[in-house]
Amino acid sequence: MVQKLKINVDIDNIAELAHVGVRRAAVFMGLGLNAAKRGDFNDYELHKLPIMPGQTGMPIDFLPSNLPEEAVRDFKEHFATWIIGCGLRELLEHYALFLDRVHESCLIIACKNKSLELNNPQKAQKEFENSLGIPRKLDKLLKRFRIAPNEADSIKSLYSARNALTHDLGRIKPERCGPGDSFKITWKTFDIFAQGEETGTIHAIPKLIGQKTLEPMAICGKAMMRERVFSVGSNIVLSQQDLWEICFFFSLFVIPSTRNGFVEFLQAANVPINIIDPRVEA
């Protein structure tokens, strides 16, 4: 008697790995950048932190106390760049964990169905998890299982931006540039704006808050691609709107698109999928 192998894959639980990264990135960048932008927050010395229980050592300072405001502002500018790099890393590393689990599930199913021949599946999974960055993970998922988020090029551009922030102090090197010696970051966003019902004039909503309008306004929205272009030698600068849009991009577009590709793979492999309605109690 042949014993059937039953494997349960919780798709939403796997996708939650990436959503956790979105929330962590948004919160951590919010905490760090708010501190960097606050004019009254200038404490850069470690010894100003509260003393921990059991602490016995005397504080060691690496810079003089009470440095000029200009020096502290410079520290905070570099700190803001560091925080953005860390936030993007949090976002991307959690997405990579999501890709690892998708690849693992697909690998098990494909080898079981004999739709993929690998001499050592365990080695292939270990290589996928430990040796590949996100661009190569996406390429491997496409090649092996035809899973590809619609926004793969944008994800790769953000991965490269994170690397520039982490490894190059945020400065654009020539090897990161494409045609025209420029480096481009793109992401998809949902732009919300006000439009005059009589004239059709488009207005940015923040500028209308607290203001009397000359005509009735309709609140509209549309999906669009956002891009930021940097030249060789310039520094990556992203606004608070850029950062929340990038987090939104992963939450609304990247993660669902990757999840849908995973579901399509399961359907093509004739794997039963049970849709659980959270409104119905078990």
Side-chain angles (χ1 to χ4, degrees):
M1 180 179 178
V2 178
Q3 187 176 6
K4 289 186 176 180
L5 177 65
K6 184 177 182 180
I7 301 171
N8 293 317
V9 179
D10 190 329
I11 301 172
D12 291 327
N13 190 50
I14 294 175
E16 180 61 15
L17 289 168
H19 284 296
V20 167
V22 173
R23 295 192 293 271
R24 284 171 61 91
V27 170
F28 295 168
M29 287 192 292
L31 287 170
L33 293 175
N34 273 298
K37 300 299 182 183
R38 271 181 50 187
D40 63 339
F41 184 76
N42 297 305
D43 293 334
Y44 58 88
E45 304 100 324
L46 280 172
H47 74 256
K48 289 188 177 181
L49 291 166
I51 296 176
M52 301 293 290
Q55 183 174 323
T56 58
M58 294 295 292
I60 300 174
D61 285 331
F62 299 91
L63 293 168
S65 297
N66 302 317
L67 283 170
E69 290 185 8
E70 294 178 4
V72 179
R73 280 199 300 269
D74 186 61
F75 294 161
K76 292 169 74 173
E77 287 179 8
H78 287 281
F79 174 64
T81 299
W82 181 75
I83 284 292
I84 293 171
C86 291
L88 292 182
R89 181 187 65 192
E90 198 73 23
L91 191 66
L92 290 160
E93 291 301 323
H94 277 78
Y95 179 64
L97 290 175
F98 173 35
L99 297 181
D100 290 345
R101 300 286 72 80
V102 169
H103 182 270
E104 181 181 45
S105 300
C106 293
L107 195 61
I108 293 171
I109 293 167
C111 290
K112 185 65 179 176
N113 290 348
K114 300 188 184 303
S115 59
L116 180 67
E117 295 291 339
L118 286 175
N119 293 329
N120 193 331
Q122 290 82 6
K123 182 180 178 181
Q125 179 61 27
K126 186 176 180 180
E127 178 194 45
F128 187 89
E129 292 184 12
N130 300 328
S131 303
L132 303 183
I134 284 180
R136 292 183 63 196
K137 287 180 189 285
L138 293 173
D139 293 342
K140 193 71 73 173
L141 281 169
L142 176 61
K143 182 178 179 180
R144 285 180 175 164
F145 310 118
R146 297 183 181 178
I147 294 176
N150 298 330
E151 304 79 17
D153 289 341
S154 291
I155 299 168
K156 292 176 181 179
S157 76
L158 290 165
Y159 180 82
S160 186
R162 191 284 308 229
N163 285 343
L165 287 162
T166 302
H167 303 299
D168 305 329
L169 301 178
R171 189 173 294 274
I172 300 301
K173 290 186 174 181
E175 54 265 33
R176 297 196 185 278
C177 294
D181 289 333
S182 64
F183 175 78
K184 183 166 68 173
I185 308 171
T186 63
W187 63 89
K188 195 173 185 179
T189 188
F190 194 76
D191 206 26
I192 300 176
F193 54 91
Q195 187 169 20
E197 294 184 356
E198 297 172 358
T199 64
T201 305
I202 294 175
H203 303 268
I205 292 178
K207 293 184 178 180
L208 296 180
I209 295 175
Q211 303 296 319
K212 183 179 180 180
T213 61
L214 300 178
E215 60 180 319
M217 293 287 170
I219 303 302
C220 309
K222 64 177 181 179
M224 60 177 293
M225 291 301 297
R226 190 87 71 196
E227 69 175 40
R228 295 288 178 263
V229 181
F230 305 95
S231 59
V232 173
S234 66
N235 291 322
I236 294 177
V237 178
L238 296 171
S239 69
Q240 64 183 56
Q241 179 172 338
D242 292 339
L243 296 174
W244 78 53
E245 284 186 353
I246 290 169
C247 290
F248 184 72
F249 166 59
F250 272 81
S251 182
L252 190 67
F253 298 108
V254 174
I255 301 171
S257 177
T258 308
R259 180 190 182 281
N260 291 342
F262 183 32
V263 169
E264 290 172 3
F265 168 83
L266 296 175
Q267 292 171 334
N270 296 316
V271 175
I273 299 175
N274 296 321
I275 306 297
I276 301 174
D277 190 337
R279 296 169 298 180
V280 179
E281 294 184 2

